[in-house]
Amino acid sequence: MPLLVCQDLTLGYEGKAVIKNLSFEVRAGNYVCIVGENGSGKTTLMRALLHLLSPQSGEIRFSDGLTAHDIGYLPQRTEAQKDFPASVREVVLSGFAGKSRSPFLSREQRSSAGQIMERLGIAPLASRSFRTLSGGQQQRTLLARALCATGKLLLLDEPMASLDPTAAHELYHTIEELNRRDGITVVMITHDVHTASHYATHILDIGSTPHFFGTVAEYRAIGRLCGCGEEAENDA
């Protein structure tokens, strides 16, 4: 049974459609990369999956008992976010917001957050101010926050943006482990389809006409992923 289904989805703002008649489904354990040129509606789709935007038509369905509170979200990095005046531990623990009716975190939640920080290699930074971290450390902290919210589905919006190559490679590897070892389903917006395709199982191209959704092998078979330097340069 699919974890997520989008059927004949049309999304937009003030009556103007950005995405039209989009259909695809994501199964548990998939690693889906959403690609498309600027303005094609990638972040608009992400907002709809997070229930922050209602479809103009069509529907979004979640299954397997998944609710909005079971989705971990790592948004695009912003300047305000980089200067967030909180400790790493406080940022990570905020991922539990909305998971229970009590305003206080349980011992189990604090223990779980500690384990997640250990897993992502940021436990030694727990008392550090978020604003003092490197870009890669900040993204790992926000990923840990997202993991506090979910063990099922991660939505990631350009998580590698503004990271240096080493930090980006390490984050790709971490997300791959979460997907393949822990079975967490990943839906990630990216501009770097060539690198992301080495980790993904499926590609959703909403910049193409018609929209494409299929495996990486199928995407490569239609000539959209040749892996050559010329195509990579043309895509930049």
Side-chain angles (χ1 to χ4, degrees), residues 46-211:
M46 191 72 78
R47 285 176 52 81
L49 297 180
L50 290 165
H51 303 285
L52 299 176
L53 177 70
S54 298
Q56 293 181 349
S57 63
E59 62 177 339
I60 299 172
R61 301 193 304 272
F62 291 99
S63 60
D64 195 25
L66 194 70
T67 70
H69 294 309
D70 297 315
I71 299 174
Y73 175 50
L74 197 165
Q76 290 186 26
R77 295 176 72 206
T78 64
E79 290 303 317
Q81 184 186 79
K82 293 175 187 177
D83 290 331
F84 195 64
S87 70
V88 168
R89 181 182 290 107
E90 289 169 335
V91 172
V92 173
L93 289 173
S94 69
F96 288 114
K99 297 292 286 184
S100 67
R101 295 180 180 179
S102 172
F104 303 104
L105 297 178
S106 68
R107 180 178 300 177
E108 290 75 16
Q109 287 174 322
R110 291 183 180 277
S111 175
S112 176
Q115 293 172 11
I116 290 171
M117 287 191 288
E118 287 280 359
R119 174 79 183 277
L120 297 188
I122 58 172
L125 308 175
S127 299
R128 286 266 304 272
S129 172
F130 181 79
R131 66 174 65 177
T132 67
L133 304 182
S134 69
Q137 291 169 336
Q138 287 187 344
Q139 288 299 79
R140 285 180 174 275
T141 298
L142 294 174
L143 179 58
R145 179 185 185 278
L147 288 170
C148 285
T150 188
K152 295 181 179 180
L153 174 62
L154 280 174
L155 301 183
L156 313 175
D157 194 349
E158 291 285 358
M160 316 306 169
S162 302
L163 296 184
D164 64 68
T166 298
H169 174 77
E170 291 174 350
L171 192 57
Y172 268 124
H173 180 68
T174 297
I175 294 169
E176 179 187 34
E177 278 197 337
L178 293 170
N179 172 249
R180 298 189 180 181
R181 194 175 85 178
D182 296 43
I184 297 176
T185 304
V186 175
V187 177
M188 180 174 74
I189 292 175
T190 181
H191 279 98
D192 187 5
V193 63
H194 295 279
T195 301
S197 66
H198 293 293
Y199 303 93
T201 60
H202 293 74
I203 301 291
L204 171 61
D205 188 343
I206 60 175
S208 61
T209 304
H211 303 305

